[in-house]
């Protein structure tokens, strides 16, 4: 097994991002797999860990030609989604919850709590 199989969180330099996908506030994003190191033919275009600070959000955005999974690691927030038929809903998510946004759908996530929200995002 090579180093391209294991990514230690503390070894990945965080990048502060403002208004992610048109959202509010700031987030710390650590990219394990991205454009610079994605394996050709892999189903994973991007894999990372994101920390949304209180009051921050990932804005609603549409997936075209891919899908995205969020795994909530710690904290809680409000997940918004809109399916390909235009049906919208919001649901509170917390540590251990998993969300899936399929091709042609939209989603976003807001940390409306007082603690940081840590989540993993996988795009494929």
């Amino acid at each position: 097994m090579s180093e391209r199989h294991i990514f230690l969180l503390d070894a990945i330099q965080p990048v502060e991002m403002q208004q992610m996908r048109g959202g509010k506030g700031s987030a710390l994003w650590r990219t394990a797999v991205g454009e610079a190191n994605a394996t050709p033919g892999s189903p994973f275009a991007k894999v990372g860990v994101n920390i949304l600070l209180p009051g921050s959000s990932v804005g609603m955005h549409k997936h075209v030609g891919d899908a995205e999974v969020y795994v909530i690691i710690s904290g809680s927030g409000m997940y918004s989604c809109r399916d390909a038929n235009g049906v919208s809903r919001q649901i509170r998510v917390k540590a251990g919850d998993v969300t899936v946004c399929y091709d042609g759908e939209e989603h976003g996530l807001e940390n409306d709590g007082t603690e940081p929200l840590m989540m993993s995002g996988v795009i494929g």
Side-chain angles (χ1 to χ4, degrees):
M1 196 168 287
S2 70
E3 290 185 22
R4 70 184 186 104
H5 293 94
I6 300 170
F7 300 91
L8 302 176
L9 184 63
D10 291 340
I12 302 171
Q13 184 67 33
V15 175
E16 183 173 0
M17 302 184 76
Q18 299 293 322
Q19 291 95 28
M20 265 184 93
R21 301 280 192 150
K24 302 183 292 191
S26 63
L28 298 175
W29 180 258
R30 288 181 165 97
T31 301
V33 175
E35 292 177 9
N37 65 344
T39 301
S42 169
F44 307 113
K46 192 170 197 178
V47 178
V49 175
N50 188 13
I51 297 175
L52 284 176
L53 302 175
S56 297
S57 65
V58 177
M60 286 288 286
H61 59 283
K62 187 173 186 172
H63 283 266
V64 178
D66 62 21
E68 185 169 23
V69 174
Y70 288 165
V71 179
I72 310 301
I73 299 167
S74 64
S76 64
M78 187 61 67
Y79 180 77
S80 301
C81 57
R82 183 175 304 120
D83 69 20
N85 296 317
V87 177
S88 298
R89 78 184 274 211
Q90 289 188 312
I91 187 164
R92 180 147 305 281
V93 292
K94 63 185 182 332
D97 291 339
V98 177
T99 67
V100 180
C101 179
Y102 294 101
D103 185 12
E105 297 181 345
E106 298 175 62
H107 69 154
L109 178 63
E110 180 177 2
N111 179 352
D112 58 358
T114 59
E115 301 293 324
L117 185 159
M118 181 184 284
M119 51 82 84
S120 180
V122 178
I123 298 175

